[in-house]
Structures are given as C-alpha cells and as structure tokens.
Amino acid sequence: MDPTIAANADLAWLLAAFAIVALMFPGLALFYGGMMGVKSALNMMMMVLSTLGITSVLYVLYGYGMVSGPSVKDWGIIGDPRDYIGLSTVMEDLGTGNAETAYWAAFFILFAAITIAIVASGAAGRMKFSGWLVFSAVWLTLVYFPVAHWVFAFDGDGYSGGFLINDVKIHDYAGGTAVHMNSGVAALALAFVLGRRKGRPERPHNLPLTLLGGGILWFGWFGFNGGCAVVAGFLAQYVVMNTLLAGSAGMLGFLLVERVRSGHFTGLGLITGAIAGLVGITPSANTMSPLGALGVGLVAGAVVCLCLGLKTKLGIDDTLDAFAVHGLGGIAGTICIILFASAAAPAGVEGILLGGSWDIVWRELTGIAVTCTYSFLMTCAIAWVLDKTMGLRVDEESEVAGLDLALHAESAYDIHPVGGQGARLGALADRDDVVQGAGDTGRDTGRDTVKDEEVMA
Amino acid sequence: MKLVTAVLRPHAVDDVIERLQGVGISGGTTTEVQGFGQQKGRSESYRGATYEALVPKTRLEVLLPAEEVEAAVGVITATASTGKVGDGKVWVTDVSDVVRVRTGDRGAAAL
C-alpha cells in the first residue's frame, strides 16, 4: 500500500481523537459545576474552560518546546523552547501525510489544559478569577511543562527527552503521572495554601449535570487514550476497549464500597467511580489484559471511595476531590501495573504477581514519588508567592454572596416562573415606556416590553 | 373573614385543592416551603459527606368567610392526614380587610 495512504489513515483517527478530547472541557465544566453550590457554579465552569485560553497562548509562546523540545544539556529536566517560539516552524508541510508538529501542538494543548483544569477542584468557591488565570499560567510553566517533559518527551535522533521516561523508564501510557497525579496533588496543595471555604458547605446543586458531564468526560477518554496510540491500528482499538472496561468496573468498585460503608448506592458515587476507573487505566491501558482492565477499574473505584475522607483528616478543603480521584486514582492504576500487568498486552510489561521482573517496582514508585513531591512542593510555593503578592482569595463578603454574583455579575439560573421575581431590565420607575400611575392597559404594555427585551438580551 | 393556612406534605396538596373545590371553595394560593418539626430534617450524603436539609412542604392559603372555615379545615385535615409524623399543621387567623385588585371591591365582596 502507498505509505502516504497508511499515514493518512493514522492522521484521520488522530484528528477524530483530537475532537473527542476537546469535548472533555465542557464535560469537566459540567462535572465540576454541578457539584458546586448554586452560588458559584458558573465560576467553576469558567475556571475549567478558561484553561484552554491560557494554555493555548503559553503553548504557542514557549510551551511546546518546553515539553517536546530537545532536553537542555541532555539532562532530561526541561525542553529547550528556542526552536519552537511562536510555533513558526509548524507551517511547512513535511509531506508525511501523518500528524506533524502542528497536530501534536494542538493535541498536547488539550492535555495541558485539562490538567490545570482538574486543579480547579482545590480552589472551588473562594479564588479570585484573575488569581486563577495568573496561577494557571505560572503553574503550567513551572509544574506541568517540566513534568510533561519528563514523561512525554522520548529520546529522538540526536537529542534527549525527559528523564522519567528515558532514564528511569517508567511505564505511563497516557499521563497517569503528568496529568492525573500531577493535577490531583496540585489541587491538594492549592487548597492547603488557600484555606477552607467559609461557612457551611453547600450541597451539590445539580447532580444530573455532574452525571452528564462525567459521561462526556468518559467519551473524551476514548480520544485521550485512543489518540495516544498514535496509529489507527491494533493498539488504538485495544486501549479503547480497556478504557471502556476500566470505567465500567470503576463504577461498580465505588458503588460496592459505598453501599457497604454507608448503606446507599449514590448517583454521585456512580459517576465518581467511573472517573476513578478511567484515571486508573490512563497509565495502564496498554499493559492490561481485559480482566486486568476490569481489575484496575475495581481497584481504582474502591480505593478512591475509601480515601475520600482523607482530606477531612488532613483538614484540607480539596472541594471536588481531585486529590482522591485523580491523585490517588492515578497512583492506584500505576500500582496495578506493578502488580498485574500482562506480558501479552501490547506494552509487554509483566507485573510481579504474574512473574515479572521486580525492577518495575522501583521504576514506577520513582515516577509516583518524583511527580507527587515536585507537584506538591512547587504548587505550594507558587500559590504562596501569588497569595502574598497579588492575593488569591476573594474577600469574605464575596465568598458568602457567591462568586457568580460577586465576581462575574451573573447567576447560573433564573428559575422563577413566568411573571415571577426574576430580574428585570433596569428599574421600572426609570423606564419611559412605562406610564406611571396608568390603568391596566398601560402597565401591562410596560411589562410586556420589558419581557421582550430580556429575551433579546 | 378568615385566612386558613395549611402546611402540608407536597404530594397531598393536589387532592386537598380538588376536594376544597368540591365543597365550593374557589380560590387559594400555594407556596413551596421548607420546614422542621417532629419529623426532623432529612439527611443527604454526597461522596460520604452528610448534609442535613429541611423537609420540603407546601403551604396552602385560603381566604374565607368565617362560616366556611370549619368545612375547609375539615376537608384539609381529612384529606392530608396519613396518621404519621410530618402531616403538617392548619391554622386560622383573622383578616381585617381584603381588596380585589381588578375591581377595588373590599371586604366580604372581595372574597
């Protein structure tokens, strides 16, 4: 077959995977937004979606090179951004017919942006929006770009990549370390520096949104893991299957533990377990047999459910549990690789319970320890410095009023019935289309006019 | 003139209104409210964290001539009673004046 046609086939799948992953942003916005109280739901959705804006700018300026560029002095610590500043080199068609730098820049922008978006869990309901934008830019630069370089940048012809993947040789299929442990631990660190929310915590205001958002995230995961296969071949179909299996089993693992512990199967538990299973399969999708993928889901779902109370014991208000779901879920998935990876799966890694070599233990544990330690300490430092300089937290009055109103001059819902107490456009007394003191007809007309303009606005 | 106010289980209210109309009582107002009493609040659990919430109830208000009050109270209690804690309460208050917005009628003529 003409090699260009084969390359085009790979590219076609990768372009589809890109679009599928892009849907994770509204997915996460709904997943997180629905879990917030009604007063700060929009703010949370804005924190999630705004990460695309910040990440796109940074990636074009210097981010691509810091992650995927040749390692500075071959140390494997950080990529050299100089060849990629402004991404000016991506404009030439190299004629491969396959994904070139332009594609990978776009695909990895989504990876970086979803990682910082998950961190919003630790700032829920109490962070200035300007503070979030600055924090995300600094965090991407000092935490995500280096860690992604360590894990995602393979050695190439005549240049070196990151040290975790090339020297320590960790196995991390699609970002269990750089995306999930990194963001989960960073959420814990950010929540630690910001402090707890004031007052009584609010219940999740709209769980159907959270279940819908979680379902959309699951959909996105097929592009996330499937796209990391790079080819439209066996590996892509294999990891897509395992991704489905782990999400499904994660749901069951979480539900079983919560039923035993508290007596109820909950809807929030169901979707949380599915996400936990998906986090667990992210590093391990190409290492597991189908039974192993079910095992990863069950373990990740159960571990996350058992560890949700940890934040309360630590006294850290990681509001939407990114630390438990993404941090510990990612660690659980990685430990599953150590224990029961199948040598017959595409990666060819064998877990120690199945007779594999023990050197995988220190490789994976090094990956976990390095990622989590660096992310925690660096995130604390960034948040502390920004809090002391620009101030990250809103004042108490804004927090009590809710961030939607205080920061954005919006409210998520107008749930008043027709003709009820919904906000009107301007004060009635200031409007010259309302005749003061007129009879029935005049006043009715005035109301109708106001309503029409509301609809148009 | 009297105001009959009833705080009831939400699912009982449609039946109550239907039977009030059956005995000739033609108007009333309902409001969704939340409360606490012998029934206590209700407990909800999200990711293992427990939240205490008030119990949802519906408040029904009916303006009546004094002589119709006993019939109305009888219909409400008979219809809304399940015999379990949480059925709600009915109370009657005096009303000094009523105005019909459309016509400006006052007092008994406005009922």
Side-chain angles (χ1 to χ4, degrees):
Chain A
M1 189 167 62
D2 181 348
T4 311
I5 294 178
N8 284 163
D10 290 343
L11 178 60
W13 159 239
L14 286 171
L15 289 169
F18 172 83
I20 294 168
V21 176
L23 209 58
M24 291 177 106
F25 290 87
L28 187 66
L30 293 172
F31 183 67
Y32 272 5
M35 271 190 274
M36 296 298 294
V38 74
K39 295 185 300 184
S40 299
L42 279 178
N43 170 258
M44 175 48 66
M45 294 182 162
M46 287 176 67
M47 287 214 279
V48 169
L49 292 175
S50 64
T51 60
L52 273 175
I54 297 292
T55 313
S56 293
V57 171
L58 295 192
Y59 237 76
V60 172
L61 292 181
Y62 55 78
Y64 185 87
M66 284 181 72
V67 174
S68 305
S71 216
V72 174
K73 296 191 186 297
D74 294 341
W75 288 348
I77 302 295
I78 192 70
D80 184 346
R82 281 175 302 179
D83 288 347
Y84 297 97
I85 285 175
L87 281 181
S88 53
T89 50
V90 310
M91 291 186 286
E92 183 191 355
D93 181 357
L94 301 179
T96 64
N98 208 328
E100 295 177 8
T101 304
Y103 176 82
W104 294 115
F107 194 60
F108 283 133
I109 284 172
L110 299 184
F111 275 49
I114 204 72
T115 307
I116 178 64
I118 293 167
V119 180
S121 162
R126 56 202 189 278
M127 191 172 187
K128 290 182 193 169
F129 192 66
S130 57
W132 170 248
L133 295 178
V134 173
F135 172 82
S136 15
V138 177
W139 189 87
L140 284 166
T141 305
L142 298 182
V143 182
Y144 180 83
F145 292 161
V147 176
H149 181 72
W150 304 343
V151 178
F152 289 143
F154 287 96
D155 284 345
D157 195 11
Y159 62 90
S160 300
F163 78 99
L164 281 180
I165 200 75
N166 298 297
D167 301 322
V168 179
K169 294 189 168 44
I170 61 164
H171 183 85
D172 181 358
Y173 173 65
T177 48
V179 175
H180 293 292
M181 290 176 216
N182 197 3
S183 60
V185 169
L188 188 74
L190 180 57
F192 172 62
V193 175
L194 282 178
R196 307 174 63 83
R197 283 166 294 165
K198 310 258 189 229
R200 289 167 174 266
E202 293 177 284
R203 278 181 288 172
H205 89 283
N206 193 334
L207 285 185
L209 285 188
T210 296
L211 268 74
L212 174 64
I216 294 173
L217 276 175
W218 195 343
F219 175 85
W221 236 286
F222 296 124
F224 197 98
N225 285 357
C228 283
V230 183
V231 294
F234 178 74
L235 182 59
Q237 56 186 301
Y238 191 82
V239 297
V240 161
M241 174 194 69
N242 271 357
T243 303
L244 173 67
L245 298 180
S248 305
M251 194 157 70
L252 299 179
F254 194 109
L255 285 174
L256 286 174
V257 171
E258 104 175 319
R259 178 70 171 81
V260 170
R261 289 188 106 194
S262 63
H264 296 283
F265 299 116
T266 69
L268 182 57
L270 179 151
I271 199 64
T272 305
I275 300 299
L278 293 165
V279 169
I281 203 68
T282 301
S284 59
N286 61 345
T287 66
M288 290 294 158
S289 67
L291 278 175
L294 290 175
V296 167
L298 278 174
V299 168
V303 164
V304 167
C305 187
L306 287 169
C307 294
L308 283 172
L310 202 58
K311 66 173 181 182
T312 316
K313 290 207 179 71
L314 293 169
I316 300 177
D317 184 10
D318 175 21
T319 310
L320 307 179
D321 298 304
F323 172 64
V325 176
H326 296 272
L328 300 178
I331 291 173
T334 303
I335 288 174
C336 288
I337 301 177
I338 298 178
L339 295 179
F340 53 85
S342 164
V349 177
E350 189 153 46
I352 54 174
L353 295 182
L354 303 180
S357 158
W358 279 70
D359 67 327
I360 193 173
V361 177
W362 76 265
R363 294 184 202 286
E364 296 302 296
L365 292 184
T366 304
I368 294 171
V370 167
T371 305
C372 293
T373 308
Y374 181 78
S375 178
F376 188 82
L377 295 178
M378 194 54 119
T379 308
C380 282
I382 295 168
W384 186 82
V385 168
L386 290 179
D387 196 40
K388 291 295 167 208
T389 49
M390 67 180 291
L392 289 181
R393 203 165 163 152
V394 298
D395 59 43
E396 190 166 348
E397 198 182 333
S398 303
E399 198 176 322
V400 172
L403 302 193
D404 289 359
L405 200 57
L407 300 186
H408 308 302
E410 290 176 304
S411 46
Y413 302 95
D414 177 4
I415 51 176
H416 290 96
V418 176
Q421 300 153 43
R424 295 208 163 67
L425 194 62
L428 211 54
D430 298 338
R431 299 184 57 83
D432 52 15
D433 55 340
V434 179
V435 183
Q436 296 300 316
D440 288 346
T441 318
R443 195 169 288 271
D444 280 354
T445 310
R447 289 277 172 99
D448 288 344
T449 310
V450 174
K451 278 289 173 197
D452 286 348
E453 288 178 20
E454 267 181 19
V455 171
M456 287 186 330
Chain B
M1 290 172 294
K2 304 282 186 184
L3 174 65
V4 175
T5 305
V7 172
L8 304 171
R9 294 186 196 272
H11 63 78
V13 172
D14 285 345
D15 286 348
V16 168
I17 290 172
E18 202 174 296
R19 298 209 182 148
L20 284 174
Q21 288 171 327
V23 300
I25 293 168
S26 57
T29 306
T30 64
T31 324
E32 288 175 32
V33 293
Q34 296 181 315
F36 59 98
Q38 291 180 54
Q39 195 186 0
K40 306 295 180 196
R42 57 171 186 194
S43 180
E44 298 186 359
S45 175
Y46 299 100
R47 284 186 175 171
T50 305
Y51 295 76
E52 296 300 328
L54 297 177
V55 188
K57 296 285 173 190
T58 300
R59 179 173 59 202
L60 171 66
E61 290 166 304
V62 185
L63 280 166
L64 291 170
E67 60 273 18
E68 292 179 22
V69 165
E70 276 313 309
V73 172
V75 165
I76 293 169
T77 49
T79 309
S81 170
T82 67
K84 298 200 182 78
V85 166
D87 278 348
K89 285 198 172 54
V90 184
W91 62 92
V92 182
T93 41
D94 288 327
V95 174
S96 59
D97 202 1
V98 177
V99 183
R100 187 184 299 279
V101 172
R102 172 170 53 88
T103 58
D105 290 345
R106 302 189 77 115
L111 290 176

